[in-house]
Amino acid sequence: MKIVTFWGGLGNQIFEYAYYQWLKNRYPMENIYAYYPKAGLMAHNGLELFKCFDVIEPPCNKVITIIATILFYLNKILNRLGLPSLFTCTMQNKLYNSIFHCDWWQDKMYYAENYNLDFTNLKMNLKNQQLLKIINDTNSVSIHIRRGDYIKSNIADIYGGICTKKYYDRALSIVDKSISDNKQYIFFSDDPDYVREHYSIPNIIIVDWNNGEDSFMDMYLMSKCKYMILANSTFSYWSAMFNKTKRMVICPSKWNNLNFPDITQSEWIQIEM
């Protein structure tokens, strides 16, 4: 028996589902369950994965939840004490035969280069329908700018200072030189007022209407654009991975300030910051 933790936002949940599938293939004779800690799903829109994608939800029951909750909080205590957790598999120790598996699993070793999940429950409102038509009819460029929690003091040290204004200016310059005509720049951001204040380029659309439980529509719409400028965000990352028609993807050379997850695809253009 093994238990995989699903926590974080939608982008992280996709990484965790990919790992869950990888673990199932590695241990085909074992029962592999899911654990959904409430504390680990509060920061964004809760457990979104199974609402947004056509995937089979991993099994879970009350007994598994009780066992996993004990292990989850015991693991936190051991981490604070600086002690190893021999019953928990992480990306560092790779104890795959452990019962409890708890990490972000951001590594290409756990999924194929063409890994894909199909979106579901796409109830397109009129604005999104109109935007999708524009995306299909133009040389559409998605620009994802994430601020929100990234500029908070307790998070900024980890994710801040990477996708700066300088990064986006350099990325926009590369894209601009690559497209001769019919350009359409589409900004997706959790801070649309910031975008309005700092970007006044021609042919610009600022998407500010997909919020709350509809926020995953931004990922879907970005995945349809022909050119992509990513933020250092797992949400941004998977929009590019699920894009079957992309011509160019630009991303930062690092995804955070703590470690360097091996997730960047070889054909993507990396900007050193």
Side-chain angles (χ1 to χ4, degrees), residues 88-135:
T88 299
C89 178
T90 67
M91 289 184 64
Q92 284 188 319
N93 63 31
K94 292 182 169 58
L95 297 174
Y96 297 123
N97 207 34
S98 302
I99 292 176
F100 193 55
H101 296 246
C102 189
D103 212 323
W104 302 113
W105 310 113
Q106 295 177 13
D107 196 305
K108 290 184 293 187
M109 70 173 288
Y110 301 120
Y111 53 92
E113 188 174 341
N114 62 347
Y115 185 78
N116 183 66
L117 299 179
D118 293 323
F119 286 91
T120 189
N121 295 324
L122 291 172
K123 298 176 182 177
M124 303 275 286
N125 61 31
L126 182 59
K127 281 188 174 182
N128 285 330
Q129 291 177 37
Q130 293 172 337
L131 180 56
L132 183 59
K133 187 177 188 308
I134 292 171
I135 288 171

Side-chain angles (χ1 to χ4, degrees), residues 1 4 13 18 26 65 77 94 96 99 104 138 163 191 260:
M1 180 184 78
V4 177
Q13 291 168 33
R26 185 180 174 100
T65 299
I77 293 170
K94 292 182 169 58
Y96 297 123
I99 292 176
W104 302 113
T138 64
C163 289
D191 191 349
F260 300 92

